[in-house]
Amino acid sequence: MSTAKSASSAPKVLVVDDDSDIVELLEYNLIKEGYSVVTASNGKKAIEIAKTFIPDLILLDIMMPQLDGIETGRILRSNPEIKNTYILFLTARSEEYSEVAAFDVGADDYITKPIKPRALMSRINALFRREAQKAESGDQIDILDLTINRKNYTVTQGSEKSIVLPKKEFELLFFLAQTPNKVFNRDELLQKIWGADIYVLERTVDVHIRKLREKLGDRYIKTLKGVGYMFSNEQE
């Protein structure tokens, strides 16, 4: 593990890869961009480090010994302390099932090696810019029996039930609930939630909608076949 010295206000990044050359390359470029960086050579170390480091972003390789990136990501996402942390998967594998598996465990982006440092830094900077823009807008939506609070990324259902959502699931729910009964197609949702500079499969939206329905129930987000999704505010 290595740690970079930087201002305490700098966003914190955890780099996880068993390839020391890639780790060194990423660490150098991230520090150059002003980020605070800690590294880990495998998934088990990353999980332990994340508990105390509480990163704002994790760059996570998929193909690693001991514990692969998908399972590492699943375990990391189960920690409430880092539920709002961005996770970007790095992999030499380009098969569609790998990408779907990554988003299924809560990935925010998926980047295929070989890594182009300037392009990667641009995507990372864009993530944090969008985060800052969201913070300037409204913080809470009260709709039906849901209270959706973006200031602390919480969802309360009814008077007591608190639901923990990964960042992208939360953002998707918040976006749809802002304009109830308006239908958005997959392309629109990908642009709004993931951004124009991030390439992901259309199926990524379907995966996140399915996960939201599993946690909240089917009454809130409706599917219009061949069109898209909407948040319905009709009482049952």
Side-chain angles (χ1 to χ4, degrees), residues 34 62 91 116 193 196 208:
I62 287 184
T91 183
K116 298 177 181 177
I193 307 302
H208 283 68

Side-chain angles (χ1 to χ4, degrees), residues 57-63 69-70 86-113 115 120 123 127 168 194 197-201 204:
L57 167 67
I58 300 172
L59 297 177
L60 181 59
D61 185 36
I62 287 184
M63 297 296 289
I70 298 296
Y86 289 112
I87 298 180
L88 274 64
F89 280 93
L90 309 173
T91 183
R93 300 172 66 174
S94 58
E95 298 96 332
E96 181 178 321
Y97 75 85
S98 296
E99 184 170 346
V100 172
F103 286 112
D104 199 41
V105 299
D108 294 287
D109 199 357
Y110 181 98
I111 298 163
T112 303
K113 297 175 182 177
I115 294 168
L120 177 59
R123 289 166 83 158
L127 278 176
K168 279 293 179 281
W194 281 268
D197 52 343
I198 294 178
Y199 172 76
V200 294
L201 298 172
T204 301

Side-chain angles (χ1 to χ4, degrees), residues 1-27:
M1 180 185 78
S2 66
T3 308
K5 293 181 180 179
S6 63
S8 59
S9 60
K12 298 187 293 183
V13 181
L14 174 58
V15 178
V16 190
D17 201 306
D18 61 322
D19 187 326
S20 59
D21 290 336
I22 290 178
V23 169
E24 185 177 345
L25 175 68
L26 293 173
E27 186 176 23

Side-chain angles (χ1 to χ4, degrees), residues 30-91:
L30 286 162
I31 293 171
K32 189 178 177 182
E33 289 289 321
Y35 294 101
S36 175
V37 184
V38 169
T39 67
S41 58
N42 61 63
K44 289 184 178 179
K45 288 182 181 178
I47 291 165
E48 289 305 310
I49 291 168
K51 291 176 182 177
T52 53
F53 184 56
I54 316 296
D56 300 296
L57 167 67
I58 300 172
L59 297 177
L60 181 59
D61 185 36
I62 287 184
M63 297 296 289
M64 293 187 296
Q66 299 187 42
L67 196 65
D68 68 36
I70 298 296
E71 188 58 30
T72 299
R74 192 187 310 279
I75 294 170
L76 287 166
R77 277 291 184 227
S78 69
N79 180 356
E81 289 293 319
I82 59 171
K83 68 175 183 177
N84 299 328
T85 295
Y86 289 112
I87 298 180
L88 274 64
F89 280 93
L90 309 173
T91 183

Side-chain angles (χ1 to χ4, degrees), residues 31-227:
I31 293 171
K32 189 178 177 182
E33 289 289 321
Y35 294 101
S36 175
V37 184
V38 169
T39 67
S41 58
N42 61 63
K44 289 184 178 179
K45 288 182 181 178
I47 291 165
E48 289 305 310
I49 291 168
K51 291 176 182 177
T52 53
F53 184 56
I54 316 296
D56 300 296
L57 167 67
I58 300 172
L59 297 177
L60 181 59
D61 185 36
I62 287 184
M63 297 296 289
M64 293 187 296
Q66 299 187 42
L67 196 65
D68 68 36
I70 298 296
E71 188 58 30
T72 299
R74 192 187 310 279
I75 294 170
L76 287 166
R77 277 291 184 227
S78 69
N79 180 356
E81 289 293 319
I82 59 171
K83 68 175 183 177
N84 299 328
T85 295
Y86 289 112
I87 298 180
L88 274 64
F89 280 93
L90 309 173
T91 183
R93 300 172 66 174
S94 58
E95 298 96 332
E96 181 178 321
Y97 75 85
S98 296
E99 184 170 346
V100 172
F103 286 112
D104 199 41
V105 299
D108 294 287
D109 199 357
Y110 181 98
I111 298 163
T112 303
K113 297 175 182 177
I115 294 168
K116 298 177 181 177
R118 289 178 63 184
L120 177 59
M121 293 306 115
S122 176
R123 289 166 83 158
I124 291 172
N125 291 335
L127 278 176
F128 285 109
R129 279 198 305 272
R130 285 199 299 275
E131 184 72 12
Q133 291 168 356
K134 289 169 186 173
E136 295 173 359
S137 60
D139 288 330
Q140 182 167 305
I141 297 173
D142 294 288
I143 187 165
L144 298 176
D145 62 341
L146 296 180
T147 298
I148 310 168
N149 190 310
R150 188 159 58 188
K151 197 166 187 178
N152 54 19
Y153 276 79
T154 59
V155 178
T156 305
Q157 188 176 40
S159 58
E160 296 181 355
K161 185 180 179 182
S162 181
I163 300 169
V164 177
L165 298 176
K167 183 182 281 284
K168 279 293 179 281
E169 288 176 34
F170 180 92
E171 291 177 356
L172 181 57
L173 175 65
F174 193 95
F175 177 77
L176 290 171
Q178 282 184 120
T179 51
N181 303 321
K182 180 177 179 179
V183 180
F184 295 91
N185 63 38
R186 291 179 181 86
D187 285 339
E188 289 173 315
L189 293 173
L190 287 172
Q191 291 279 333
K192 295 292 185 180
I193 307 302
W194 281 268
D197 52 343
I198 294 178
Y199 172 76
V200 294
L201 298 172
E202 285 190 352
R203 285 181 59 189
T204 301
V205 174
D206 302 336
V207 169
H208 283 68
I209 293 291
R210 172 174 57 79
K211 286 185 164 292
L212 283 171
R213 286 171 171 162
E214 288 173 358
K215 295 169 184 175
L216 299 172
D218 296 334
R219 65 175 291 200
Y220 305 102
I221 300 176
K222 304 297 184 183
T223 303
L224 272 72
K225 290 186 178 180
V227 183

